[in-house]
Amino acid sequence: SLYQSVPFVVMKWFFAVCVLDAAASVLLTTAIIPGMSSYITPSYTISSLFSSPYVPGRSLGDLFLAGLLRAFLCLLTVLASAAFYKSKGEMWGSMKHSRTGMTKEEKEEAALEEPWPPYLRRLGRRPTLPANLAASSSLLLASAKCFERLFSGAADEVSVLPFWAAVGATAIMSVAELFMLGGACEAAVGSLTEARES
């Protein structure tokens, strides 16, 4: 029964990505790895977030906190989806405006004419919204750090490797979690639904 094992495989890969994300956040942004302390100067640590002046292009502490928050919210979202929803239809059912009996062109026109408040209410009810916001914010943070580092003249510093490795890992993990989160939530709800029915 390959079909029944698919939700488990999806969840297993998603949990592996979240654990890898948390581990990469810790290993690449702190001086835990022997020899990294020579690359990670005091201005790159978490304490630099609370000192003045805070320079985004020279700090890894914010990526550390964003990585842990992102991984925690993704795992929490999957567990909450499995706990609070009984079916995939219940989880996503209220997300799309009911447009039955319409042609494709009529549906597109109705979507364009729909006012913002109902759309934002439906968007706010998504179970994946907090984790999606955390991953999107981390991706924007990584992009901002890249641009700030490139245009501030800080690119010539010695501590280049850990900075770019941490920024790259943040970007890759954010995109992976954005891509996999909805499927992992559906797999968790689907596997629990199958377990309840059998």
Side-chain angles (χ1 to χ4, degrees), residues 14-15 70-82 84 127:
F14 183 73
F15 286 128
R70 186 177 60 248
F72 173 74
L73 283 176
C74 285
L75 292 173
L76 187 67
T77 298
V78 171
L79 295 174
S81 295
F84 295 122

Side-chain angles (χ1 to χ4, degrees), residues 14 91-92 126 128 132 177-187:
F14 183 73
M91 184 171 70
W92 302 114
R126 291 182 66 171
T128 59
N132 282 339
E177 288 167 350
L178 280 169
F179 179 71
M180 298 174 74
L181 183 61
C185 289
E186 286 181 1

Side-chain angles (χ1 to χ4, degrees), residues 166-183:
V167 168
T170 297
I172 290 169
M173 291 300 169
S174 296
V175 170
E177 288 167 350
L178 280 169
F179 179 71
M180 298 174 74
L181 183 61

Side-chain angles (χ1 to χ4, degrees), residues 30-41:
T30 60
I32 289 178
I33 298 175
M36 284 290 279
S37 59
S38 62
Y39 288 105
I40 299 177
T41 61

Side-chain angles (χ1 to χ4, degrees), residues 106-154:
E106 290 172 336
K107 288 179 184 180
E108 289 174 356
E109 186 176 330
L112 289 173
E113 293 175 356
E114 181 179 11
W116 281 97
Y119 172 76
L120 292 175
R121 269 194 298 274
R122 283 197 312 276
L123 183 67
R125 289 188 194 122
R126 291 182 66 171
T128 59
L129 182 67
N132 282 339
L133 287 176
S136 298
S137 298
S138 295
L139 195 55
L140 289 173
L141 176 66
S143 300
K145 288 175 102 38
C146 285
F147 285 116
E148 201 277 333
R149 179 81 174 209
L150 288 172
F151 296 127
S152 70

